[in-house]
Amino acid sequence: MWISKKRRPGALVRSIPPTPSAAWTWTASTETAALVLSLFWLLSANRTFLGTALKGHGWGDASAWGFVAALAVMVLALHFLLLALVGLGHAFKPLAALLIVGTAFASHFMDRFGVYLDPSMLRNVLRTDTKEAGELFSWSLLPHLAWQAGLPLLALWRLRLVRRPWTRAAVVRAGALLAAAVVIVGAILAVFQPFSSLMRNQKELRYLITPANYLWSLGSVLAADAKGAAAPRQAIGLDAAQGPGWAQRTRPTVLVFVVGETARAANWGLSGYARQTTPALAATPDVINFAQVTSCGTNTEVSLPCMFAPVGRRAYDEERIRGSESLLHVLARAGMGVQWVDNQSGCKGVCEGLPTALVKDWNPPGLCADGRCLDEGLLQGLQQRLGQAQGGQVLFLHQLGNHGPSYFRRHPPAFARFTPACEQDDLRQCSREQIVNAYDNALLYTDHLLATLIQRLKKASDQGVDTALIYVSDHGESLGENGVFLHGLPYTIAPDVQKQVPMVMWFSPGFAQGRGLDVQCLARRASQPATHDHLFHTVLGLMDVRTALHEKAWDLSAECVKP
Ligand SMILES: [Zn+2]
C-alpha cells in the first residue's frame, strides 16, 4: 500500500478523504503489478501461441487441458520473472509502459499477418524504411491499440506502488523471483513429455511467446550487430582474376543482375501459373526460365546477403555471411566494374564500399511520388551506361517489385489488368481474390520491366556491347493461405510460396559467343531444381572469373561453357 510522506506511517489511504486525483487509483506492490501485467499479456497476446501449441489436440482431450494450463502457467511465470528482474524501484513504471506499447504492436502484427518475431524478423523490422513501415499501419490498428495498450497504460498510470524499506524489498523480490523460477520448472516437469516433443518438433513456437519473443530477438540482433561492427568485413576471393578468355574479347561485356522483391514462383506465368502474369517475357525470344528455384531466406535481410555468399543455405551461417564480403567484392577484385542501383531498402551490406546509386536520388520524371519510385526508374541512364561500357561490367538493380502489403502501389495504372484489385494498405479490407489480383498486377509490371530491359540490352548488343540478364526474386509471399500474409516466417516452417521464387536468364548472341556458352544446354539445366546457393558460382562462371572460391558443382553454367 502506498503511503504519502505527509501522512502518518501506517495510515490507510482510504481513511483520507478522497480527492479527485486520488480517485480511480489502485495500490499494489511491484510484484503484484508485475503479476497482473503478465496475466494481461497471457490473455491478450499469447492466444496464438497457446492455440498453435494445442493444434491437433481435441478439446475433449483431458490431457490437452492439463497441457495448456501448464503452458499458460509457464508463460505467466516467465513474464513475471522478466518484469521482476528488471523492473526495480522507479524503473518499473516506465519500463512496463514501454513493454505494454511494444507488446500491443507485436500482437497486432502477429495476429494480422501470422508472423513469428524471431531474430530474422526483428532484423527485418529494424531495417525497414519509414515508407515501408507506413504501409503496414492502418486504422484497424487503433481499436487494437486502444484496448491492448490504452487500457493497461491507464491502469499503470493510476497505480500507486507500495514502497518498502530496501532490505525488505530485496527479500520480497528475491522470494518472488525464486517462486517464479520454481513454478516454471514445476510446470515443465508436470508436462515434460509433450513439452519436450513440442520444443523439439516446433522450435519456432517460442517466437510466439509475447513479449519474451521480441525482447529475446532484439537482444540477439543487437548483440550480433555489435559483434559485427567491432570486426571489419572479411575479405574473400583474394585470388579472383579474369579467365584467359578475356584476352580475346574485344567488345565490352555487361551483365545486368536484377534482384527481384517478393515475387513468388506460384504466380509466375512462365512457370505454369494458370494466369498469364508474364506476357511480355513469354513473347521475348530466348528467355530461359528456371521454374524450380528455392530462396535462401524468407525476408530481404536474410536473402540478400545469402544470395551473394559463396555458401548460402546449404550450410547456413548467418554470422559468417554478414561478416564477409560478397560476390560483388569478388567481381570488383577481378577487375569488373560493379554498381548497385537501389529502389528499395538498401543492399544489406553486400555492396559495402562499392559504387551505389539510389533511384529516388535520381528522381526520374513521372516515376516517383511520396518518396517511392516505380521500378522503371532503375532503367534511368542505362542507355548511357551501356554506351560507355568498357571491359566487364556487372550492374545490380534492386527492385521494389511486389513489396507488400500495398501491391497496388507497385505499378502504374495501366497494369491494373486483373480486377477487382485490392486498393487498400490494410489487406483485411479486401477479399482474397482482390489481394491476388493486386499482387498479380504488380507481377505484370515486373514482367514489363524485364522485357523492356532485355529489349535495351538487345539493342546495345546490336551496337557492339555483349549483354546478358539474370533476374531472381529474393523470397516469395503468402497471400492469405492458412491466414498467413506477407513473408518472413521462420525458414523451417515457412510455406513453399514464401521460398519458391522465379528466376530468368537471357544472353545476347555476342555474350554467349564471347563466353563459349551453349544457351540450349543452360535451357536444359533450367528444367532442374536450383537455389540461391547457385548464384554466387554461376555469376563467376558466366563472367569467367577464376578463384578458388568457385565451386563447379554450384555453377549452373558449368557444363555449358568453355572450360
Ligand atoms: Zn524482400
Side-chain angles (χ1 to χ4, degrees), residues 295-308:
S295 69
C296 174
T298 62
N299 64 51
T300 315
E301 283 293 334
V302 168
S303 279
L304 244 56
C306 186
M307 287 162 86
F308 299 117

Side-chain angles (χ1 to χ4, degrees), residues 5 60 108 157 210 219 230 302 309 363 365-366 383 393 411 433 491-492:
K5 279 182 194 151
H108 173 75
W157 177 46
T210 322
V302 168
N363 197 14
Q383 216 82 337
Q393 309 263 328
H411 59 78
E433 185 204 359
Y491 197 79
T492 47

